[in-house]
Structures are given as C-alpha cells and as structure tokens.
Amino acid sequence: MYDVKIVGGTLVDGTGAPRSSGDIGIKDGKIASVGDCPESAARTISAHGALVIPGFLDIHTHYDGQISWDEELAPSSLHGVTTCVMGNCGVGFAPVRPSDHEKLIELMEGVEDIPGSALAEGLTWGWESFPEYMDVLEKRRRAIDFVCQVPHDALRVYVMGERAVAEESATASDIESMRALLREALLAGAAGFSTGRTDNHRSARGKPTPGSEARGDELTGIARAFSGLSHGVVQAVSDFDMFRGEEAFSAEFDLLERMAEASGRPLSVSTMQRDHAPRQWERIYERAERAALAGMDIRCQVAARPIGVLLGLTATFHPFMGFPSYKEIASLPLDARVAQMRDPAFRARLLSEKSGKVAGDGSPLPPLADFFLANPLLVAMRLFRLGESPNYEPSGLTSLAGDASRGGLPLLSVIYDAMLEQDGRALLYFPLYNYTEMNLEVVRRMLMHPLSLPGLGDGGAHVGTICDASFPTFLLTHWARDRAEGKIPVERLVKMQAHDTARFLGLDDRGTLKPGQRADINIVDFDNLRLRSPFMQRDLPAGGQRLMQQAEGYVATLVAGEVIVENGRFTGARPGRLVRVGKARG
C-alpha cells in the first residue's frame, strides 16, 4: 500500500524526455513506482489536467537569517521549490565568535538589504563553528529542505578579526586557518564555499565586504580545502571590475579560474547583462567554454528574467529619496508622508529640486544608486507599473517615460504621481540587469546555453528591493507558455530547474520522477499557472517588512511525500530538513 498516490497527471520527469501519462506511487518519502501504480494508497491526489513535475532546487538564496525564525521559507516554497541553497555571495552567520555577531549582521544588512533590527531580534545563534551551526539548524524542521554553503566573509572575520577588511591581505597562517575551517565544514556536510567580489556590495556602515578584494593566493589557498573530496561546489559573484575598464576582466576571470582549478570542484559564477558592460556576459561564457575544454567545470548562474528593482514609498529605494524635501519627511509614517506629498505646495517645491547623493562613506548604497538618481530620464524609460498580472518583458512604450511623452506631462511629475497610487503602496518595476535591449532575447540565449544553471533568485534577501524568488514560476509561464516567440520546451526547463541544479550540487537523490528518488513533487495546473503582483508584508522580527509574491496554479507541492502547499496555502506539514551533502542520506 502506498502512502500517497498521484493519479491522472501528465508526467514531465525532469530528465528532458517527452511528457507521458501515468500515476506515481509514494512510500516512506520516496517514489516507489511510476506509470502503472495499481496498489491502493492512504491518500490519493488527483492530477487530471495537470503537469506532475519534480520539485525545484533554488541554488541561490539568502535564508541564512530567516531560517532562524521562519519554518516556511517563503517566497521560494510558494513557487515549487523543495530544496534551497543558502550561504551565497560570501555572506552568512558561521563560523562566528560571540563578539562578532554584530559584524556579520552589518554585512548581511548592507549586502542583502535585510533589516539589521530583524536579524538582531530573530537570529537564535547558539553556535560558533560551522558544524555547530548546522547542528543547531538541524534540530528544527522546515517546510522544505535546505543546504548550507560556507561564506568567505564569515571565515575571514572569524580568522582575521579587525584585519578582515578589503584592503588587508591574509597571511599564510590566516589562509591555512580558513582552509582548515572550510575543510571541517565540508566533512560535516556543507555544500561548498561562496565568495563575493563586487564593488556594489557594502556593509551597513558602507565599508567594502571583507573578501571583495581578496588576493589570488587567499582564494586558491582556501579552495584547496576540497582536495580529495568527492563533493562540494564553489559559488562566486563578481562584477569583474567593470568600472576599471574592460581590460580588468581577464585578470579577474583568471583568478576565479585558478580558484576552480585549486578546488577541483564545479564553480558557478553569477552571470547577467549589465548596462555599463553589455557584452560582458558573452565574455563570461567564452571563458567558461574554454575552461570546459581544459577539463574544468565552470557554470554560469543565470536569471529567468530581468533582475529588477521594485521602487516605491514602502520600498528601500525610490526616485525621490535623495531630494531635500523628501529627506525632511522620510522618517514619517507612510500615511503622513503621502498626505504631505499630496499637498500642492510640497509637490511643487520637491519637483523643483535635484537629488543629492545617497551613496558614499557611511552608506551601504552602491555608487550605482547615485548614477540612477541623477538620471531620471534613463530610469523612467525603464520604469513600469506591474499590475495585478505582472509583465516582466514590457515594451518601452508602456514605461512612465512613455506615459509622460503621450500626455505631454513633465517626467518627474508622472513618476511622483505613480508613486502615490494605492495610497502610496504602489510598487514600480525597474529592470536593472538583463534588459539593455528592452527585451529578453539575451536571457533566452543564456537559458539555452548548455553551461547555464537557473539561479540568482535571492530568496530571503533584498527584502525591500527585489522579489525574484518567483523565478521558477516565471520560467514555466513565460518561457514555456506565454512568450509569443522563442518558447522553450517545458521538458527542458523542468530539467534545468530540478535535475541539473540537483546534480550540480552533487544531490543524486532528487530532481527526477524515478523510482527510488525522493518524493519532492509539484502538481501544476499549467494552463492556469500565473504570478500575482508583489506586495509588502510586515512579518519580520522587530516589526520589519519584506516583499512577498504569490502564485496561482500550484495544485500541490510535496516534500518527501508530504503536501506542504496546497492551492497556494501552507498545510502546516514540516518534512524539510538540513541536507548534509556528501553524507549518507535517508
């Protein structure tokens, strides 16, 4: 007798094979049979008219703080994700000395836009070493499985203390200590090592992140911790020093390549189209292809759509945040700010001003923020209302600049009034990366490349700025169903988001609908699957708020054979647990 049987569905099994009809029998958290499943079951779930697909792996999240107080790990778990990977971009909370709790909170707050007050109140701590961190997390069940990577910044702070700043070089002794700590974590089941090397990352005090300018000997020395191990990956984010000129690209990629070679393990590098270097992503792929010919496994971690910032009075950023008149009211409650901004005299005064600087010393905001605030026309040409059914590939004609042109209205006044819609709760969409040509053809080329891995959703991070944990849902709806041209077969997309991500991480027990695989499964009403508009919800510790996005069309999501989400609502089931990569798994 099965515990659960899913009947009548169309199976897309995650291998890339054509879809087929059949049932799935589940026993003891695993898939027992696929196709003809004649035995009875304690529970039967109808999948008639729906796709039955493997659960998704989200390989780029930042739930490192949220996991202390939240068992649901939304939004990712609302978008078919059954396993998430934390500890990306070099930031996280272990290893840590008790005296350095605040340092790591400041790093996470600045780099990933998570309120420091929420982290300070919500983090449970209770660990020092990375194995102790995993032991603490393992004691509590969650809705979905989770995997931990060791972050470079935390390693550096633990070993080097106050010397762990971007300008300080690690000594040979420092490097050996970091290597030993990483090795200890890997042997305890950590999934790998991550490092952040971008000028856009700053601590809450505006300081560069500890590992952002680490030298090659440090990165290769740490990476040798993988020597002799058959598991583990390396994750890196870099802007390849694009503001220093194109000639800096090769030296930075050489460094990442040496790190990959020293580790002997797969490496993924965040890959996107940036306006300041619109062809850089192609150079990343060229170097990854050359590395593959040399026997290295370097993958490009890519987004399913533009990496877009949400702007508004409730968000972290908006176009008037640097204006003197707005700064005078910035600390007021939302309703009071809206009342002031609707006053004609205040409106006229603010719209006559120019933005001051918001980045620089003491600010976590990157210089890019000042560039956009000083160029409102550039912003408005790519600033859109999302609507109830968000359009993530909008035409420039529907931008706020287009509205201003058609109406013969001053540009800033159109942006100003749009922000006051919904009583000041309106969120405007600004595609920051992957939208230089005002369409998603670049993203399609990335997704179709054999070295690509879907990722970069940043679940748990940028809580007042970005809501991209819905990437898996967008991948299915936009690319397999809705796009007028250049559709991608759903079989290929499911394989990428489930099988390919799992195998990259070394997880061979999930990602396909095969007997013996873990019963992590999505039942999807594909014809009616859709994203809803993002919104702010105030449910973080210390009264903090975060962006949330829901979906319609997930009939059920199962983790280890238990239904965790049914028709968009959590069931209360908590089958998720820590996955120790490289260790025996049940």
Side-chain angles (χ1 to χ4, degrees), residues 181-248:
L181 290 167
L182 175 56
R183 179 79 174 193
E184 176 189 44
L186 293 169
L187 292 173
F193 169 75
S194 73
T195 187
R197 300 181 55 75
T198 169
D199 295 334
N200 284 328
H201 286 175
R202 293 284 189 272
S203 76
R205 296 177 182 266
K207 296 181 179 179
T209 57
S212 60
E213 298 291 339
R215 297 188 319 193
D217 59 341
E218 177 177 340
L219 291 173
T220 55
I222 294 172
R224 292 191 183 100
F226 292 89
S227 178
L229 297 180
S230 59
H231 80 279
V233 297
V234 180
Q235 184 266 333
V237 57
S238 175
D239 55 19
F240 295 93
D241 295 320
M242 64 180 180
F243 292 112
R244 300 178 191 176
E246 290 190 7
E247 64 279 0

Side-chain angles (χ1 to χ4, degrees), residues 20 33 92 206 224 310 346 348 369 388 397 407 409 428 469 501 535 570 576:
S20 62
S33 56
R224 292 191 183 100
L310 294 174
F346 181 91
E388 183 52 36
L397 295 174
L409 300 170
L428 304 175
T501 48
F535 62 94
F570 287 102

Side-chain angles (χ1 to χ4, degrees), residues 404-417:
S405 177
R406 282 188 297 275
L409 300 170
L411 179 62
L412 286 181
S413 70
V414 171
I415 301 174
Y416 188 98
D417 293 340

Side-chain angles (χ1 to χ4, degrees), residues 159-367:
V159 169
M160 297 174 62
E162 293 298 326
R163 294 186 297 116
V165 295
E167 291 78 14
E168 289 279 348
S169 297
T171 66
S173 176
D174 294 331
I175 296 169
E176 175 56 36
S177 295
M178 286 188 274
R179 178 167 58 242
L181 290 167
L182 175 56
R183 179 79 174 193
E184 176 189 44
L186 293 169
L187 292 173
F193 169 75
S194 73
T195 187
R197 300 181 55 75
T198 169
D199 295 334
N200 284 328
H201 286 175
R202 293 284 189 272
S203 76
R205 296 177 182 266
K207 296 181 179 179
T209 57
S212 60
E213 298 291 339
R215 297 188 319 193
D217 59 341
E218 177 177 340
L219 291 173
T220 55
I222 294 172
R224 292 191 183 100
F226 292 89
S227 178
L229 297 180
S230 59
H231 80 279
V233 297
V234 180
Q235 184 266 333
V237 57
S238 175
D239 55 19
F240 295 93
D241 295 320
M242 64 180 180
F243 292 112
R244 300 178 191 176
E246 290 190 7
E247 64 279 0
F249 174 87
S250 294
E252 175 68 5
F253 204 101
D254 288 346
L255 190 153
L256 295 182
E257 199 170 78
R258 291 198 301 272
M259 181 171 61
E261 188 174 21
S263 74
R265 302 300 305 160
L267 177 146
S268 72
V269 56
S270 299
T271 305
M272 63 203 76
Q273 183 190 47
R274 297 177 170 95
D275 287 355
H276 285 82
R279 302 291 299 274
Q280 184 191 83
W281 69 274
E282 294 176 307
R283 299 182 69 185
I284 296 173
Y285 274 101
E286 289 169 2
R287 289 296 302 265
E289 290 167 354
R290 284 165 49 186
L293 292 174
M296 283 178 280
D297 188 357
I298 296 181
R299 307 291 184 90
C300 298
Q301 197 177 135
V302 302
R305 65 179 186 232
I307 297 175
V309 176
L310 294 174
L311 307 178
L313 295 177
T314 60
T316 301
F317 298 107
H318 63 75
F320 299 104
M321 60 187 293
F323 282 55
S325 291
Y326 183 81
K327 289 181 178 180
E328 294 174 5
I329 66 169
S331 62
L332 295 177
L334 177 63
D335 291 347
R337 276 181 286 149
V338 169
Q340 280 272 34
M341 293 179 72
R342 283 178 171 162
D343 177 74
F346 181 91
R347 182 180 188 275
R349 175 159 55 93
L350 186 147
L351 291 176
S352 70
E353 299 170 347
K354 293 185 180 298
S355 179
K357 290 188 177 296
V358 297
D361 293 343
S363 170
L365 302 181

